[in-house]
Amino acid sequence: MTLGIDVSKLFSEMIMATGTKDHVIKKMVYLYICNYAATNPDLSLLAINTLQKDCRDEDPMTRGLALRSFTGLRLPNVAEYLPKVIGDGLKDQSPYVRKTAVMGCVKLHLLCPDAITHSDLVDTLYTMLRDRDPQVVANCVCALDEILHAEGGMVINKQIIHHLLNRIKEGSIAAHFNTTVERITPEAVHAVTPDALVAWVGGREAREQGDALQLQLQTEAKVITSTHHISITPPSHLHTTHSHLTR
């Protein structure tokens, strides 16, 4: 398959091989199924039971692999199964499974936007901004930006700013902070005090850096507002989304 050879005729045999316990073989089998699912939609549905079973496996690697493959099938008939599977993955004890489930939300959104709209997955992603794993938080920021792109991206408020500033030292979150700060509302920016920024920069000697950063954020927010790149008013259906962040 990796050499460009058409091996789709082996699809039935590969479906039978999904029951293997070997991680390497299972990964290759799922890669094959995802690659040829579009050309064999009916046979691909035969793998759903195995994928659902593997999503409940005791091994987090198996659960994460199954979830990643399940959300990667790109079949309309699979969309009805994904909200439940992704929702369980977002609550998983393993950070690997949780971050895989977060990106699975994006795949579901691309496959069937209505499935995201009619579920509570967006609210769950906002809640998971408090996840203890930095990569999960970074994935949530990216996922919310993609899912809510038509509405201006992830909604930013004072509580989210403070929380992200407190987590900014963790590299994977810092890598995505620049894209997040571009959509901060002026009201939220003015609510961030120099002391809160000092806590992020680190140390009393950094107060001048905190003042300068606050000024920079305010300036960027004014530029964004004047050029109408964002909507200052959060989407109406998300006004209550962040209520849990105030606690």
Side-chain angles (χ1 to χ4, degrees):
M1 183 175 68
T2 57
L3 297 178
I5 301 174
D6 183 10
V7 290
S8 58
K9 295 181 179 180
L10 300 175
F11 201 89
S12 298
E13 288 75 9
M14 296 298 281
I15 289 292
M16 298 296 294
T18 55
T20 180
K21 295 297 183 181
D22 186 281
H23 283 163
V24 177
I25 297 178
K26 187 179 288 289
K27 183 176 181 179
M28 295 303 298
V29 170
Y30 282 158
L31 177 62
Y32 175 94
I33 293 175
C34 290
N35 188 61
Y36 288 106
T39 57
N40 297 272
D42 294 334
L43 289 177
S44 298
L45 296 179
L46 298 177
I48 289 180
N49 289 336
T50 301
L51 288 168
Q52 289 178 319
K53 180 181 178 181
D54 283 350
C55 285
R56 300 188 298 268
D57 195 88
E58 296 180 355
D59 189 341
M61 291 298 295
T62 299
R63 295 198 302 272
L65 177 61
L67 182 56
R68 185 178 67 180
S69 302
F70 206 166
T71 56
L73 287 179
R74 301 187 299 276
L75 297 174
N77 294 336
V78 174
E80 61 181 291
Y81 301 97
L82 294 183
K84 174 64 168 60
V85 174
I86 293 175
D88 292 341
L90 295 175
K91 303 173 186 176
D92 199 277
Q93 296 181 352
S94 168
Y96 169 66
V97 178
R98 292 199 304 276
K99 70 181 183 181
T100 302
V102 169
M103 300 315 295
C105 292
V106 178
K107 295 178 182 179
L108 177 58
H109 169 69
L110 297 176
L111 177 65
C112 183
D114 289 341
I116 289 286
T117 304
H118 297 143
S119 68
D120 61 348
L121 293 178
V122 172
D123 288 343
T124 302
L125 290 177
Y126 273 111
T127 302
M128 291 182 67
L129 291 174
R130 289 187 176 276
D131 195 275
R132 60 183 179 274
D133 186 86
Q135 186 60 58
V136 173
V137 177
N139 281 13
C140 285
V141 172
C142 293
L144 287 168
D145 265 345
E146 178 65 28
I147 294 171
L148 302 175
H149 178 74
E151 301 173 7
M154 187 180 85
V155 177
I156 303 293
N157 64 12
K158 176 181 176 181
Q159 288 74 29
I160 292 179
I161 294 175
H162 277 285
H163 176 66
L164 292 180
L165 286 174
N166 289 333
R167 300 289 300 274
I168 203 67
K169 288 183 179 179
E170 302 172 53
S172 57
I173 297 179
H176 300 284
F177 186 71
N178 288 336
T179 58
T180 303
V181 77
E182 291 177 357
R183 291 172 291 94
I184 294 178
T185 65
E187 292 85 353
V189 170
H190 288 293
V192 180
T193 64
D195 289 336
L197 295 173
V198 168
W200 164 44
V201 178
R204 296 179 180 177
E205 69 279 8
R207 177 172 295 277
E208 292 183 359
Q209 297 182 42
D211 291 334
L213 182 55
Q214 184 193 37
L215 178 60
Q216 178 184 353
L217 291 175
Q218 292 173 348
T219 302
E220 291 181 359
K222 291 178 180 179
V223 172
I224 294 170
T225 303
S226 63
T227 55
H228 304 288
H229 284 176
I230 63 169
S231 174
I232 298 303
T233 304
S236 58
H237 71 282
L238 291 176
H239 282 172
T240 60
T241 300
H242 315 300
S243 59
H244 54 277
L245 291 174
T246 62
R247 296 197 293 268

